[in-house]
Amino acid sequence: MFMNDPATDLTVLLGKMKDGDTDAASRVISVVYPELRRIARSYMARERISHTLEPTALIHEAWLRLVDQTRVDWRDRAHFFGVAASMMRRVLVDHARQRLADKRGSGMRAESLDGLELPGGEQKLEEILSVHEALERLGRVDQQQTKVVEMRYFAGMEVDEIAAVLSVSPRTVDREWAMGRAWLQVELARKNPS
Amino acid sequence: MTEERWPQIKETFLEAVSLAPHDRAAFLTRVCGDDHDLRRVVEDLLQASELPELESPLRSVDLSGSTIGRYVISARVGRGGMGVVYKATDSVLGRTVALKFLAPEITASDEFRMRFIQEAKAAATFDHPNICALYGIEQVAGQTFLVMSYIEGKTLKERIEEGPVSFDDVHRIATEAAEGLREAHRQGIIHRDIKPSNILLGVNGRTVITDFGLAWFAGQESNSRTGPSVGTPAYMSPEQFRGEGAGERSDIWSLGVAVYEMITGRLPFPERSMSSPEPLSKFRPDVDPRLCRVVDRMLAPDPEDRFQSADALLGELKGLRSSAGNLPARRLFWPIATAAALGLVIVLYSSWQETAPATPFETIPITSYTGMEDSSSFSPDGEQIAFSWRSEAVGNSEICVKLVHAVDRRCITSDPRSDFLPSWSPKGDWIAFLRSLSPQRLGVYIISPLGEQERQVTEVATRETLEYLGRIAWTPDGEKLIVSDRDPASGQFRLWSLALESLERIPLTTPPMSSQGDRNPSVSPDGRALVFVRESNLLGDLYMQAISPEFLPTGIPRQLTFENGFTVDPVWIPGKEEILFASAEAVSITNLQLRKVSASGGESGAVPFVTGEGAYAPAVSPDGRRIAFTRYQNDRNIWRLDRANPSAAWTQPRKLSELSSTRDEAFPAMSPDGTRIAFVSNRSGAFDIWVSNSDGSNVVQRTFLGSLSGSVEWSPDGKQIAFDWNPDGNWDVYIVGADQGDPRRLTTSPSDEFVDAWSRDGRFLYFNSNQTGSVQIWKMAPAGNPGPIQVTRNGGYLGAESLDGKDLYYTKEPRTSAIHKLSLSTGIEEIVVPSMRYFGFAVAAQALFYFTTDVPEQIGASLKVFDLANRRTTTIATVTAPVSGGVNVSSNAQTILYSQRDQLGSDLFLVTTD
């Protein structure tokens, strides 16, 4: 009888996901993704009067909204943040594609975060796509570094939070991020020689 | 090429980036050689790593430099889940303040905004040096923020990340934080989110609790059930975690977590399911045992077992202070062995007594991975160590390298065979180690510290116990290795030098025929002397052989020590004419301790730092300032569960802390009247029977046998205790008075007999014996007459009567066994519990209690009860540590006792001597 309640539903799914149920994992995504988009959009309305617009805040809010707080433990939360970081990547990449397409007049109707103006303008939109493409290549040779970069760049997560999600030491995260961002800079420079 | 060669690029980059910029070129030249592609890619990455960090697309807007109302914002100083904190100047009052803005998801929710206002109300009432003052709550241009006192300094979280906190500071910070809590609690306010990032350490030395952001008024408990659970999980007390709300004692629990973290650098409960943290002494062997008890009480799972108020906690902390005194001023390193230095070690070994060791040098853990870390060796600059690590998961040991003060390790060997005893070359270019090739042969290998160019140099014969072979030694020029190998002619072990270039072998020592040989070589820093262990019957002493400039022996070796004990691992201390080694009276790792002796001979002495027990394999950095050693840890403790009446639920297991020592306590048995516990412990050095009150107090040694198996069985009248003992090569059953008298031997046959249980009427004692050729259960009168009567015919191992004395429950094998029932009147056998994968069970009214696991090799077990009436099995508790020796249930079936191994493994520790 609780299965129609998204909060209870997600709580159950997170539990299954932790036990290795891949079907549950994809259903978590189907719940989290629209919610992140919805919150991100509502943030835009607030942004002009707000002082912080941070992806972690989005994820925190999604977490508070989606999960029955009395029935989860902190590992569920770590899993959730891991999933949500990938979702933030998708939200932002979809948004960047759509906005760039609009600007170039392709008329493509992908979903975007209506009204969202990211700091940094078109250049930042290009950067998002370049980082995304570079990460797809990195993901084939180094999954851990890819996850660290994703959580750091797309979800703005702190080193400690990332360490908790990946079950590694903060120092490992520091090292992975040091190399990951250096590699991204090299790749971005290669793509856009100045 | 980047993706194809990623692992190599990554390793090289990470190594290079950890070096100072001016050292990188030389490093790349050495590592890359002619590989220009590799070098170019890594150099590009190094250059790119200097660029400003890529900003996350949804970055926060930094208000630094802007003015909001009367506040001029100068810098962003922090960010937490609840919001952002800026440093600002109040332009009206001219003082520096901190402004805390809330994250939008909080201001957007009415409920959270309400909580924010509550914080303001709560914190505004405080005027206390250990609580961050709140000046006001302001709303400017639609923004709500708190104005707070600005504390120059760092958070406790940042301090912990920098490295171990001295015990003086631990005590001061804990006391001041408790003072702050006492004031808040006095006003009826619970913090609810005490954690290191909410504890500020001012540059003026003051500890200040901040962020009463989650403080709700203590009287409004009902709110907490409906809202999201507040607090940070790792610091949340068990009752808070269960959503039962937080009280004063929850804050004490959270502060306990912070104190534990200050001492060890890690969380006490990395997993929620853990019922008790690893002992502080595992990480800081020199910790004051009274401080351990304070922290244990702060972290008690049941709030009733904790300090009941911050005031009570402060009382205890202050008492600790007054009698502990100050640490003595640091002395010169290696003071001459004095009675005081010896006393140090003795005090530690009796650490359950009310005395605190004072030590001039702090001992800190440098590895605490699960499994066995062993035998460290320093790099020439003393900044890195190589060591062997046998993880529980992998099973074989590998050679790993880490920075001394970093957590991460890099394992440089990956062979499925075990690699151990690494030894770093004097120039730092190689690490020599041994690899187990077969039960008879060991390979001597060298490998670069980056894990490259591995090569086998030679083979040597194994010894009975591999650990005692000793590290491979290097000559100071790095051209020869010194190894111990069996001489095919004499069969004895000799020390040999082995030239890496020519592989020429030259014998360096010739042991006398009375010795099994020489092992554990160590070369003096000037290369003119070789110290080693000369062994007879596994015991041995240190000898020194003078060496010529051509690295050949000159003259006969001189005996340095006269311990005639188990002596291992000598190592020279550079800059001192001294040798550090480990020794014990008998062949036992757990009893090894570090000692030192002058290179010119004389009495050996204790080391001037605390090591704890089981310390061996010392290593000294080439500058002589750092000493690392291995500590083997093996500590069993007694745990108990209770219930208020036979139909109530059982509590979670808790350690009987009153009874615990750093040594073994095991095989507990509650006396029939429920007032006393008998158990086995080696706390006095050897295993004997001890008796305490049922709460673990008043511990008294009952036997002085010096060795014991483990079974302890009370007679039904509580006046006698039966046990088994092996004084002369075979096991027999003995009986001793519970309060007085000497042990009396009961069984006399030349076979092995072990105690099972008393009959319920006290007329017989059941035991198992192999005298028929198979193990069967027997019984005999405790006074000796009637003598032995065989009870089982088809195998019987552990027997115990039903409460009415009509049936005997028993097993047929030590492990993986069923519990059987034998009717003592009809002789009919049946299986009651089909599978029990653990040693021992207990019989209560209508129920059998036992430990079992679903997986044969699983560590830990489930404690189950089988209801004899409805034949249903219920799990009472799950234990994650290895359980030893079954389970004991009190006569009223309201207390369960068992013992578990809380520590097993070895870790590396470091002493810095300047």
Side-chain angles (χ1 to χ4, degrees):
Chain A
M1 68 172 173
F2 292 111
M3 289 314 283
N4 292 327
D5 171 6
T8 311
D9 202 11
L10 185 62
T11 310
V12 172
L13 288 175
L14 280 170
K16 286 187 178 169
M17 188 178 132
K18 203 168 53 180
D19 297 335
D21 182 338
T22 50
D23 185 44
S26 67
R27 287 173 59 205
V28 167
I29 291 168
S30 71
V31 177
V32 174
Y33 181 74
E35 186 65 14
L36 276 174
R37 281 176 43 78
R38 203 186 59 68
I39 299 169
R41 223 180 280 125
S42 74
Y43 262 57
M44 300 330 301
R46 281 187 237 151
E47 161 60 5
R48 282 164 198 92
I49 53 160
S50 167
H51 289 98
T52 55
L53 171 59
E54 303 196 34
T56 32
L58 294 180
I59 299 173
H60 274 284
E61 183 168 343
W63 171 248
L64 290 173
R65 276 182 201 282
L66 284 174
V67 175
D68 179 355
Q69 298 291 321
T70 59
R71 298 180 45 188
V72 292
D73 73 21
W74 65 273
R75 277 166 302 186
D76 295 329
R77 187 172 181 280
H79 276 277
F80 179 86
F81 273 63
V83 173
S86 306
M87 293 302 96
M88 279 309 298
R89 177 174 167 186
R90 266 172 62 175
V91 169
L92 288 167
V93 167
D94 288 351
H95 170 75
R97 282 198 180 125
Q98 174 62 25
R99 294 310 292 245
L100 289 172
D102 286 351
K103 280 178 204 263
R104 290 159 194 165
S106 80
M108 195 175 99
R109 287 304 305 165
E111 283 193 279
S112 74
L113 303 173
D114 303 324
L116 172 58
E117 282 304 334
L118 293 173
E122 190 170 341
Q123 204 184 337
K124 196 69 182 177
L125 297 175
E126 297 278 7
E127 182 191 288
I128 289 172
L129 293 184
S130 301
V131 169
H132 171 66
E133 286 157 15
L135 276 188
E136 288 197 321
R137 290 199 298 281
L138 184 62
R140 289 195 279 271
V141 292
D142 194 336
Q143 292 213 351
Q144 175 160 298
Q145 196 166 94
T146 306
K147 283 308 287 181
V148 168
V149 172
E150 187 172 76
M151 286 187 253
R152 189 82 191 167
Y153 179 84
F154 286 108
M157 288 165 65
E158 296 291 320
V159 169
D160 286 355
E161 293 171 329
I162 298 172
V165 172
L166 296 179
S167 301
V168 298
S169 72
R171 198 179 124 72
T172 300
V173 175
D174 275 337
R175 287 154 49 98
E176 295 285 14
W177 173 237
M179 179 158 185
R181 71 189 175 87
W183 185 77
L184 282 179
Q185 298 272 23
V186 170
E187 292 296 299
L188 295 186
R190 194 211 306 271
K191 200 176 172 200
N192 303 305
S194 51
Chain B
M1 84 129 204
T2 319
E3 282 95 327
E4 298 87 71
R5 300 186 58 186
W6 186 262
Q8 197 182 4
I9 293 167
K10 184 172 184 179
E11 183 177 24
T12 313
F13 170 83
L14 289 176
E15 192 82 19
V17 82
S18 70
L19 298 172
H22 59 268
D23 291 336
R24 291 176 186 168
F27 168 79
L28 290 178
T29 306
R30 182 157 58 83
V31 173
C32 302
D34 294 339
D35 193 343
H36 300 296
D37 282 349
L38 176 63
R39 180 164 188 152
R40 188 181 45 76
V41 172
V42 173
E43 279 178 342
D44 284 352
L45 286 171
L46 286 169
Q47 203 184 347
S49 70
E50 305 295 329
L51 294 172
E53 186 147 325
L54 278 175
E55 282 277 7
S56 182
L58 290 170
R59 68 168 186 274
S60 61
V61 178
D62 192 336
L63 290 178
S64 300
S66 59
T67 302
I68 292 193
R70 60 199 265 193
Y71 303 101
V72 181
I73 295 176
S74 48
R76 193 163 94 158
V77 291
R79 198 190 85 172
M82 300 294 276
V84 184
V85 181
Y86 289 98
K87 179 182 182 181
T89 305
D90 179 339
S91 58
V92 176
L93 294 175
R95 66 181 171 188
T96 305
V97 295
L99 305 183
K100 182 174 168 189
F101 288 85
L102 285 199
E105 76 263 27
I106 292 169
T107 45
S109 140
D110 286 342
E111 187 197 343
F112 287 173
R113 199 165 38 239
M114 279 306 296
R115 202 197 293 178
F116 188 61
I117 306 277
Q118 278 180 329
E119 159 174 15
K121 281 186 184 166
T125 57
F126 295 131
D127 176 18
H128 189 273
N130 302 116
I131 297 177
C132 185
L134 179 81
Y135 299 142
I137 177 165
E138 298 221 13
Q139 289 193 304
V140 177
Q143 283 295 304
T144 308
F145 56 90
L146 295 176
V147 187
M148 302 179 297
S149 128
Y150 179 76
I151 315 282
E152 183 78 48
K154 61 178 87 163
T155 66
L156 179 57
K157 178 166 186 278
E158 291 164 333
R159 173 62 195 82
I160 289 169
E161 281 162 1
E162 287 168 13
V165 181
S166 76
F167 286 118
D168 268 0
D169 285 347
V170 169
H171 186 268
R172 183 179 53 78
I173 293 165
T175 304
E176 293 184 9
E179 302 255 17
L181 279 185
R182 176 166 64 178
E183 173 65 15
H185 292 171
R186 200 177 59 76
Q187 304 201 24
I189 291 162
I190 307 303
H191 189 290
R192 289 167 191 271
D193 197 20
I194 291 283
K195 57 183 173 183
S197 59
N198 283 338
I199 297 173
L200 302 180
L201 309 177
V203 286
N204 56 5
R206 192 149 51 87
T207 306
V208 178
I209 301 176
T210 184
D211 213 354
F212 272 76
L214 296 171
W216 289 355
F217 291 100
Q220 299 184 334
E221 281 305 325
S222 55
N223 284 356
S224 67
R225 293 209 64 89
T226 51
S229 53
V230 295
T232 306
Y235 299 92
M236 227 188 253
S237 65
E239 63 273 19
Q240 240 174 322
F241 197 78
R242 290 190 299 264
E244 292 166 10
E248 297 179 15
R249 296 172 300 185
S250 317
D251 278 353
I252 289 172
W253 197 92
S254 304
L255 182 59
V257 176
V259 173
Y260 187 96
E261 220 182 333
M262 270 196 275
I263 296 172
T264 66
R266 51 155 64 192
L267 289 168
F269 303 98
E271 297 282 339
R272 252 297 143 186
S273 55
M274 287 172 62
S275 47
S276 74
E278 296 199 81
L280 294 167
S281 58
K282 173 170 180 184
F283 307 102
R284 302 272 290 264
D286 52 339
V287 65
D288 183 341
R290 295 172 307 166
L291 178 59
C292 298
R293 278 197 290 274
V294 169
V295 176
D296 274 353
R297 251 183 95 184
M298 294 173 84
L299 292 176
D302 183 347
E304 294 297 323
D305 295 335
R306 278 178 226 149
F307 294 102
Q308 296 301 297
S309 66
D311 202 44
L313 168 62
L314 274 167
E316 201 74 13
L317 282 171
K318 286 184 172 159
L320 244 175
R321 182 72 188 166
S322 53
S323 52
N326 286 316
L327 289 174
R330 294 201 164 176
R331 279 178 255 152
L332 287 174
F333 187 34
W334 301 126
I336 296 160
T338 60
L342 280 166
L344 247 178
V345 174
I346 292 161
V347 165
L348 178 79
Y349 288 164
S350 52
S351 60
W352 55 89
Q353 293 171 1
E354 292 285 333
T355 38
T359 170
F361 307 114
E362 277 201 77
T363 305
I364 59 166
I366 49 175
T367 66
S368 45
Y369 316 125
T370 57
M372 313 279 282
E373 296 100 73
D374 205 344
S375 297
S376 49
S377 173
F378 282 95
S379 61
D381 63 5
E383 293 299 320
Q384 298 182 70
I385 50 165
F387 58 99
S388 64
W389 179 51
R390 182 194 305 272
S391 73
E392 277 166 11
V394 176
N396 67 317
S397 92
E398 303 292 0
I399 305 299
C400 305
V401 174
K402 74 186 275 287
L403 287 166
V404 170
H405 286 301
V407 174
D408 281 1
R409 63 177 177 260
R410 192 158 48 85
C411 293
I412 58 173
T413 64
S414 56
D415 195 275
R417 294 165 292 189
S418 273
D419 301 326
F420 46 91
L421 290 166
S423 176
W424 216 305
S425 71
K427 289 179 184 154
D429 47 356
W430 296 108
I431 292 169
F433 63 95
L434 295 170
R435 172 168 292 164
S436 180
L437 302 178
S438 73
Q440 290 79 36
R441 303 299 291 168
L442 290 170
V444 176
Y445 283 74
I446 58 174
I447 192 168
S448 86
L450 290 173
E452 290 160 353
Q453 296 168 276
E454 178 183 288
R455 126 171 121 94
Q456 185 178 347
V457 181
T458 187
E459 277 186 29
V460 295
T462 57
R463 301 178 59 88
E464 310 83 282
T465 41
L466 294 180
E467 293 82 2
Y468 311 136
L469 254 172
R471 269 188 287 266
I472 301 159
W474 290 84
T475 54
D477 61 11
E479 288 175 6
K480 294 190 182 82
L481 300 177
I482 319 298
V483 297
S484 175
D485 191 13
R486 192 191 303 273
D487 186 319
S490 69
Q492 289 174 301
F493 278 82
R494 305 173 76 179
L495 297 180
W496 309 74
S497 74
L498 175 73
L500 277 181
E501 197 76 1
S502 65
L503 296 181
E504 182 191 16
R505 260 193 197 227
I506 299 170
L508 298 175
T509 62
T510 309
M513 287 314 292
S514 59
S515 162
Q516 278 80 46
D518 300 334
R519 54 176 162 83
N520 295 87
S522 175
V523 181
S524 65
D526 65 2
R528 298 302 303 277
L530 176 68
V531 66
F532 58 92
V533 176
R534 179 155 286 173
E535 181 183 304
S536 56
N537 296 325
L538 289 172
L539 302 180
D541 269 301
L542 296 187
Y543 283 70
M544 182 148 63
Q545 171 70 60
I547 298 286
S548 72
E550 298 76 37
F551 216 82
L552 295 169
T554 59
I556 59 161
R558 184 161 54 86
Q559 186 167 357
L560 272 189
T561 65
F562 298 85
E563 323 249 314
N564 190 30
F566 177 51
T567 302
V568 294
D569 301 332
V571 58
W572 285 83
I573 302 160
K576 323 262 168 196
E577 288 297 296
E578 284 184 328
I579 293 142
L580 202 53
F581 63 101
S583 77
E585 282 184 15
V587 180
S588 154
I589 294 185
T590 48
N591 292 338
L592 280 172
Q593 41 183 292
L594 297 190
R595 297 182 71 76
K596 65 191 178 68
V597 67
S598 164
S600 52
E603 290 273 299
S604 69
V607 292
F609 48 85
V610 176
T611 62
E613 308 190 277
Y616 60 99
V620 187
S621 64
D623 64 6
R625 288 161 55 192
R626 288 177 165 173
I627 294 170
F629 62 89
T630 305
R631 193 171 149 218
Y632 181 83
Q633 321 218 37
N634 183 2
D635 178 20
R636 282 182 293 189
N637 292 297
I638 292 171
W639 290 63
R640 72 183 281 169
L641 297 79
D642 294 278
R643 58 179 172 182
N645 59 67
S647 55
W650 291 97
T651 61
Q652 280 300 300
R654 66 183 174 86
K655 187 159 86 180
L656 206 48
S657 302
E658 279 265 1
L659 205 101
S660 300
S661 74
T662 53
R663 289 189 171 181
D664 271 350
E665 281 79 31
F667 314 117
M670 184 73 85
S671 66
D673 63 2
T675 61
R676 290 192 290 175
I677 297 171
F679 60 98
V680 170
S681 172
N682 63 345
R683 50 171 59 200
S684 64
F687 283 101
D688 267 300
I689 293 175
W690 296 66
V691 178
S692 75
N693 291 351
S694 63
D695 61 1
S697 64
N698 192 25
V699 179
V700 178
Q701 184 168 359
R702 191 58 209 93
T703 66
F704 299 87
L705 311 172
S707 71
L708 206 64
S709 81
S711 318
V712 175
E713 295 291 335
W714 290 88
S715 62
D717 62 6
K719 290 183 177 161
Q720 299 181 91
I721 296 170
F723 61 96
D724 26 64
W725 187 26
N726 175 14
D728 50 8
N730 83 298
W731 291 96
D732 276 301
V733 175
Y734 288 72
I735 294 175
V736 70
D739 298 300
Q740 56 188 340
D742 291 330
R744 165 170 68 83
R745 181 168 169 174
L746 183 64
T747 61
T748 52
S749 81
S751 51
D752 285 332
E753 280 74 37
F754 295 93
V755 171
D756 282 349
W758 297 74
S759 66
R760 299 289 172 183
D761 59 13
R763 289 174 55 220
F764 289 98
L765 193 55
Y766 288 94
F767 60 93
N768 63 72
S769 167
N770 61 357
Q771 62 182 280
T772 60
S774 65
V775 180
Q776 303 292 345
I777 294 172
W778 295 63
K779 66 177 183 181
M780 70 184 287
N785 186 20
I789 305 163
Q790 188 171 348
V791 180
T792 63
R793 305 276 163 194
N794 306 316
Y797 188 75
L798 291 171
E801 278 184 2
S802 59
L803 252 54
D804 59 12
K806 290 182 177 163
D807 300 309
L808 184 74
Y809 292 97
Y810 63 101
T811 66
K812 294 193 175 186
E813 299 164 72
R815 289 180 85 107
T816 317
S817 182
I819 302 177
H820 300 250
K821 182 172 90 171
L822 173 71
S823 165
L824 293 172
S825 51
T826 65
I828 295 171
E829 284 186 73
E830 64 174 299
I831 289 180
V832 185
V833 176
S835 164
M836 174 184 76
R837 287 188 204 274
Y838 240 91
F839 187 95
F841 61 94
V843 182
Q846 292 304 311
L848 301 177
F849 292 79
Y850 59 97
F851 277 106
T852 189
T853 64
D854 297 329
V855 186
E857 298 311 318
Q858 182 181 316
I859 293 171
S862 302
L863 175 55
K864 302 205 178 206
V865 57
F866 178 81
D867 189 317
L868 290 165
N870 63 19
R871 307 187 76 79
R872 272 212 294 266
T873 305
T874 315
T875 299
I876 302 172
T878 304
V879 178
T880 52
V883 174
S884 54
V887 56
N888 177 270
V889 178
S890 65
S891 308
N892 65 4
Q894 284 168 223
T895 301
I896 295 175
L897 299 172
Y898 67 94
S899 52
Q900 72 180 48
R901 200 177 293 281
D902 290 319
Q903 282 189 36
L904 175 64
S906 57
D907 293 310
L908 303 181
F909 286 81
L910 178 77
V911 181
T912 303
T913 59
D914 60 357

